[in-house]
Amino acid sequence: MPKSRKVREEDAWDGVVVDKTRGTTDGSGLYHYVEVRLTGGGTGKFRVDKALWESVGPGDRLVKEAGAAAPAKV
């Protein structure tokens, strides 16, 4: 079973975008992903909406606060 990359409301993280991709993993829809170098170490790949995906690029900082529905560009 594949691991979900969907952002959950209880998640909290911040970091810098290192890459962004898009794809049709299930064949029915186009999904947008950002790979983020997390400030605590490591990287994460997260599914985001199209508007955020189009507005960020490598080097941009994202912050996801617990309780927020989606990460925000800082």
Side-chain angles (χ1 to χ4, degrees):
M1 199 83 192
K3 179 183 169 189
S4 174
R5 299 189 190 280
K6 187 174 181 183
V7 175
R8 298 175 298 170
E9 279 197 35
E10 63 269 15
D11 292 343
W13 49 264
D14 66 292
V16 177
V17 175
V18 292
D19 193 21
K20 61 183 199 173
T21 57
R22 60 185 179 179
T24 56
T25 57
D26 62 3
S28 67
L30 182 63
Y31 297 105
H32 299 82
Y33 302 96
V34 290
E35 185 174 350
V36 179
R37 185 178 322 112
L38 302 170
T39 57
T43 61
K45 188 173 184 180
F46 304 101
R47 192 171 94 189
V48 296
D49 64 14
K50 182 180 178 182
L52 179 62
W53 186 84
E54 289 178 340
S55 71
V56 298
D60 289 337
R61 183 165 178 222
L62 293 179
V63 174
K64 167 62 176 80
E65 296 180 357
K73 184 177 172 182
V74 179

